[in-house]
Amino acid sequence: MFSLKFRSLAIRDRKVVRPPGCISPHRAFAFVLLVLVSTVLAWAGPARTPAESPQSIVAIADVHNDFDDFVAILRRTGLIDKQNHWTGGNTTFVQVGDLLDRGPKPREVMDLMMALEKEAAPAGGRVVGLLGNHEIMNIMGDLRYVTPANFASFADANSEQRQKAAFQEYMKWRSGHASLLAELPQPMELTEAEWMARHPAGYVEQREALAPKGAYGEWLRKHPALAEIDGIIFLHGGIHPDLAKNKVDAINNHVRDEIKTFDATKQYLLDEKIILPFFNLKEMADVLQAEIVAELKSHVPANAQRQAKIQEFLKQGEWFSVRADGPVWFRGYDLWSDEEGAPKVSKLLQDYKVTHIVVGHTVQKGGRIRPRFDDKVFLIDTGMLSSYYPGGRASALEICGGTKIIAVYLDQQVVLVDPTKPSGQKVGGDQAAAGEAGNGSAVSPVDRPCSAATAPQ
């Protein structure tokens, strides 16, 4: 759990003052009394000034390798300068997952996040990166949304040599697993050309980089699935009501343990030479299912540990981090009707003792941040990668001091929640076009309520 309550302390010069040589008894007594009071105050420690104005929280949803628009919205919110260095001061920046897949620049996006995590802390700020379903998919080898351009970004001058070496390793593996191959539901690549087409330049490097000890894989595995900050829960998909008995730390631990189990089981299967490091998730599952059948037909007594590891791996689809109702996949906050969702959300907020939930994952129509259920849930995935999501655009949700909430776009800002408005006066709205249809309050950059904390430098 993260806390944003910092307090500045006034620093005062402490000087030893000598009394003048000749003074009246009355003045001497007053002087001694003054010295005693000063001494007591000095021992008590420095005086505290009123707390600084509440900090800003900026949340950005699914980036999907759209480095250019990601940079643009970070600059728009004052978090980085033109050299892409942190200028957010004491702001907390939350990225709710799905940095990866679909778009053209995965390494640039991850490198920027890694740099900002390091730069924010010395300035008093914080960068909180969360796991989305696409981070977990890449970690586990589900590469359905990784494009050839994504793989190519990991390639270097030695990629062709690695590609050929991996193919030779694959052919050697095939020659030693004839009985297993005979049980595959569909044949794997039979020719070098087919294999190369499915494993383009950069493929092997991408798998190594996302491995447990890889530069990006090790970094991603340190990220939680949820964060609670100043009474607000941030996550990628959502918390299903049936899972509300699990507290934030418990959910994070559960997801982290499943990833550790996946890594450990995969390493065991590699050591047993059942799979190869660059097999994707589907290939691994097909091979393991075929291995079970081949072992049964061999009439050789099964290795109990080996069988248990294989069965554990094949149940991966039931895991918390992969299930449709899990925290990185759940879409209920978008799909529920107002009547269905309002009581469920109120119960969730009560169970977790928070005021709001902020999620990404589900692209909102019209490229607009969508408040729902009386402004208790904010759906902030607006399809930043507009080349993939027609009508999508970059956005951020800015929360000022835990009260005023603003939707920030590259061309405008919309006040969604403003506690200074008279009671009963609606500011936000449960519609995609808030701010353009009179149900929101657009503000210009110079009027930003959080500008003191996030002004560009």
Side-chain angles (χ1 to χ4, degrees):
M1 189 177 299
F2 305 102
S3 174
L4 299 180
K5 297 179 181 177
F6 297 93
R7 189 182 295 271
S8 62
L9 299 177
I11 299 175
R12 300 183 302 170
D13 293 330
R14 298 171 180 170
K15 299 180 180 179
V16 177
V17 182
R18 296 182 180 273
C22 297
I23 57 176
S24 68
H26 177 77
R27 293 184 61 191
F29 175 80
F31 179 83
V32 171
L33 182 61
L34 176 63
V35 171
L36 288 173
V37 171
S38 299
T39 302
V40 170
L41 290 175
W43 277 106
R48 295 192 174 196
T49 62
E52 293 179 1
S53 58
Q55 293 108 325
S56 164
I57 303 173
V58 174
I60 294 177
D62 307 42
V63 176
H64 287 303
N65 297 334
D66 187 352
F67 177 75
D68 295 337
D69 283 326
F70 186 37
V71 165
I73 194 64
L74 287 171
R75 290 178 183 171
R76 178 71 171 86
T77 53
L79 295 182
I80 63 172
D81 60 18
K82 292 183 178 180
Q83 289 73 45
N84 296 343
H85 292 298
W86 179 262
T87 54
N90 62 5
T91 300
T92 293
F93 164 43
V94 184
Q95 201 286 315
V96 300
D98 276 13
L99 290 171
L100 300 178
D101 290 345
R102 295 193 172 110
K105 297 179 179 180
R107 296 186 69 180
E108 290 88 339
V109 166
M110 289 189 288
D111 287 342
L112 177 58
M113 280 291 293
M114 293 169 79
L116 294 180
E117 283 182 2
K118 295 177 181 178
E119 293 179 5
R126 184 166 194 160
V127 174
V128 180
L130 303 178
L131 292 173
N133 59 304
H134 283 266
E135 280 74 42
I136 293 177
M137 289 168 75
N138 273 266
I139 286 171
M140 294 184 177
D142 186 343
L143 309 178
R144 288 174 289 168
Y145 300 99
V146 184
T147 67
N150 293 168
F151 289 127
S153 68
F154 289 86
D156 58 26
N158 297 319
S159 287
E160 184 178 353
Q161 181 180 349
R162 292 193 194 94
Q163 209 178 6
K164 291 180 178 179
F167 175 72
Q168 293 302 319
E169 186 179 2
Y170 167 70
M171 292 303 293
K172 183 179 178 180
W173 176 87
R174 284 186 65 92
S175 66
H177 293 80
S179 61
L180 182 156
L181 291 167
E183 304 300 337
L184 285 174
Q186 58 186 35
M188 298 177 75
E189 297 87 348
L190 300 177
T191 69
E192 182 173 1
E194 288 174 331
W195 193 92
M196 293 293 180
R198 297 188 187 185
H199 302 79
Y203 181 101
V204 174
E205 293 87 341
Q206 196 262 11
R207 291 289 74 217
E208 292 175 349
L210 273 296
K213 295 183 180 179
Y216 299 116
E218 184 177 10
W219 172 69
L220 286 174
R221 283 166 172 81
K222 295 177 183 177
H223 288 175
L226 291 76
E228 181 183 331
I229 305 172
D230 274 10
I232 302 170
I233 289 179
F234 299 83
L235 73 160
H236 185 66
I239 303 174
H240 190 286
D242 292 345
L243 303 178
K245 62 181 180 295
N246 300 282
K247 299 307 181 185
V248 169
D249 288 344
I251 294 175
N252 282 330
N253 290 336
H254 201 150
V255 171
R256 188 176 295 112
D257 288 345
E258 287 181 347
I259 292 174
K260 287 180 179 178
T261 297
F262 175 89
D263 290 337
T265 306
K266 181 179 177 181
Q267 186 59 53
Y268 172 85
L269 298 171
L270 288 170
D271 294 340
E272 290 288 299
K273 303 187 186 308
I274 302 175
I275 62 173
L276 293 175
F278 44 78
F279 280 2
N280 63 36
L281 186 61
K282 184 179 186 305
E283 289 170 335
M284 287 187 278
D286 288 347
V287 164
L288 294 179
Q289 288 171 343
E291 175 70 7
I292 291 174
V293 176
E295 286 189 3
L296 289 173
K297 289 184 176 181
S298 70
H299 301 293
V300 175
N303 181 311
Q305 182 184 17
R306 181 184 173 110
Q307 286 286 323
K309 291 288 186 182
I310 291 174
Q311 292 292 351
E312 183 177 40
F313 192 95
L314 291 176
K315 291 181 179 178
Q316 181 252 4
E318 302 173 9
W319 290 359
F320 203 58
S321 54
V322 178
R323 284 163 28 189
D325 64 349
V328 301
W329 284 95
F330 183 59
R331 298 185 189 272
Y333 304 160
D334 177 75
L335 299 175
W336 287 338
S337 67
D338 290 343
E339 294 75 17
E340 178 187 12
K344 292 181 178 180
V345 167
S346 294
K347 182 65 164 56
L348 280 169
L349 297 181
Q350 180 181 355
D351 288 343
Y352 286 93
K353 296 179 174 60
V354 295
T355 57
H356 303 285
I357 299 175
V358 177
V359 300
H361 188 47
T362 305
V363 178
Q364 299 304 298
K365 296 178 182 179
R368 288 278 164 182
I369 288 174
R370 183 184 179 198
R372 293 215 67 191
F373 313 117
D374 197 23
D375 301 330
K376 293 175 181 176
V377 171
F378 292 88
L379 305 171
I380 67 169
D381 181 2
T382 54
M384 182 181 299
L385 184 65
S386 58
S387 60
Y388 188 90
Y389 301 107
R393 59 174 172 170
S395 67
L397 187 76
E398 186 158 13
I399 304 167
C400 307
T403 54
K404 194 164 191 174
I405 302 177
I406 308 166
V408 182
Y409 308 99
L410 296 180
D411 59 343
Q412 71 167 153
Q413 298 177 165
V414 178
V415 177
L416 302 177
V417 176
D418 187 353
T420 65
K421 295 294 183 182
S423 177
Q425 181 176 345
K426 186 68 174 174
V427 177
D430 189 5
Q431 61 178 27
E436 292 183 350
N439 202 16
S441 175
V443 295
S444 65
V446 295
D447 295 326
R448 291 187 57 204
C450 299
S451 61
T454 60
Q457 298 178 4

